Amino acid sequence: MTERPILRVRGLTRLYGRTVACRNVSFDLWPGEVLGVVGESGAGKTTLLKCLSAQVEPTDGTIEYDTRADGLVDVFALSEPARRMLLRTDWGIVHQNPRDGLHMGVSAGGNVGERLMAVGARHYGNIRSEVLDWLDRVEIDTGRIDDRPDTFSGGMQQRVQIARNLISRPRLLFLDEPTGGLDVSVQARLLDLLRQLVASTGVAAIVVTHDLGVVRLLAHRLMVMRGGEVVEHGLTDQVLDDPQHAYSQLLVSSILQV
Ligand SMILES: Nc1ncnc2c1ncn2[C@@H]1O[C@H](COP(=O)(O)OP(=O)(O)OP(=O)(O)O)[C@@H](O)[C@H]1O
Ligand SMILES: [Mg+2]
């Protein structure tokens, strides 16, 4: 078996005018691994995630994805349709705001089932039964399959978004503040669910958050960003329990004091 990362990132930089949103970020992500990215507001986390998921073009640097058939391929050297295809089939993106990741005017079942159709499913009965199964896995009452997500609570919408992004068995999942904007008890349940799903599907994931509790639970490895740069990178427990960089120490201690 070839041992190669699913994602290889080198020297990734993105400027907005004179603002350096992220600078010189490099890492490898391995199959089945969860990488956490933390940092204060404006640190460049969302920009990094948008570049990695090919939604925003980097100013400099490379992002290579293991396409299986052709090995590591520069994501931005792919044609636009090929890149769109990756987004629909190999990758999943859970947006911080469910409105960015769901069709609010389409039923919950339609939102989830659409992903199965994108990977070739055609049999209506099979699609519906798999969608019911996934709604159940994310703890949505299956009786609401035909209801639109805009009639759901924020936590329910986030769970529909998660089902939609996992049903097609992606190889790589991008999560931006997956528990942002939810109250504490809903957050804890959702995190627990995400942890189970990530472990049982073996999907590789990058999770961006300002919440250290989220990465403590989900991430194997952790990158700490500040002012667009990675200031520390290591195993999650190592970084959280024994941070080396002064900024990581501040981040960890300020959270502990809350
Ligand atoms: N579309 C844009 N146009 C101009 N500047 C941008 C744009 N997107 C991000 N920036 C700038 O890039 C920097 C990093 O922003 P980014 O959204 O990546 O931070 P973040 O770490 O995700 O913050 P938050 O925790 O608040 O979500 C900020 O200075 C921001 O103002
Ligand atoms: Mg952000």
Side-chain angles (χ1 to χ4, degrees):
M1 205 176 85
T2 5
E3 274 289 301
R4 60 177 178 237
I6 188 166
L7 202 65
R8 170 164 285 171
V9 181
R10 293 293 180 267
L12 180 64
T13 299
R14 169 70 204 205
L15 309 175
Y16 286 107
R18 287 165 62 189
T19 305
V20 182
C22 75
R23 189 205 311 263
N24 201 21
V25 176
S26 300
F27 65 90
D28 288 335
L29 181 75
W30 296 86
E33 186 181 36
V34 180
L35 174 69
V37 180
V38 293
E40 64 198 356
S41 183
K45 306 179 301 291
T46 295
T47 303
L48 174 66
L49 201 74
K50 284 192 168 163
C51 288
L52 298 175
S53 53
Q55 301 170 79
V56 162
E57 194 155 356
T59 311
D60 202 3
T62 54
I63 301 161
E64 292 174 295
Y65 171 70
D66 176 14
T67 54
R68 283 178 287 194
D70 302 315
L72 285 166
V73 169
D74 184 339
V75 168
F76 284 93
L78 291 169
S79 67
E80 183 60 36
R83 230 177 12 243
R84 263 207 309 274
M85 196 61 184
L86 277 185
L87 273 167
R88 286 164 57 85
T89 58
D90 276 37
W91 299 353
I93 304 180
V94 175
H95 296 262
Q96 176 173 4
N97 184 348
R99 290 192 171 272
D100 296 332
L102 293 174
H103 306 291
M104 286 295 166
V106 173
S107 68
N111 268 286
V112 179
E114 184 193 310
R115 274 308 172 92
L116 271 186
M117 296 183 70
V119 293
R122 288 292 172 267
H123 188 290
Y124 178 78
N126 291 348
I127 293 173
R128 193 161 170 100
S129 73
E130 210 168 325
V131 167
L132 283 168
D133 182 45
W134 269 91
L135 288 178
D136 192 44
R137 285 176 83 166
V138 298
E139 300 171 1
I140 297 277
D141 173 3
T142 50
R144 301 206 54 184
I145 184 171
D146 296 318
D147 293 352
R148 291 160 34 159
D150 54 8
T151 66
F152 289 3
S153 73
M156 288 165 76
Q157 290 173 359
Q158 205 58 319
R159 281 179 276 145
V160 173
Q161 215 192 163
I162 289 165
R164 169 179 162 86
N165 278 284
L166 283 175
I167 194 169
S168 55
R169 299 258 164 198
R171 296 173 70 221
L172 180 52
L173 188 62
F174 300 98
L175 302 145
D176 194 354
E177 300 281 4
T179 58
L182 302 174
D183 76 50
V184 178
S185 65
V186 178
Q187 262 185 23
R189 247 182 118 67
L190 184 63
L191 257 182
D192 200 40
L193 177 71
L194 257 178
R195 185 166 62 158
Q196 279 174 33
L197 291 174
V198 167
S200 66
T201 56
V203 65
I206 299 184
V207 53
V208 152
T209 178
H210 64 273
D211 185 340
L212 298 189
V214 171
V215 284
R216 172 80 86 181
L217 268 178
L218 289 180
H220 303 117
R221 267 192 306 139
L222 191 57
M223 295 200 309
V224 180
M225 288 184 80
R226 186 189 198 190
E229 297 191 40
V230 175
V231 295
E232 188 159 349
H233 182 182
L235 295 175
T236 303
D237 290 344
Q238 235 165 41
V239 175
L240 293 182
D241 296 338
D242 185 19
Q244 299 299 305
H245 190 279
Y247 175 70
S248 321
Q249 289 168 359
L250 193 72
L251 198 70
V252 170
S253 64
S254 63
I255 297 294
L256 291 179
Q257 280 162 22
V258 171

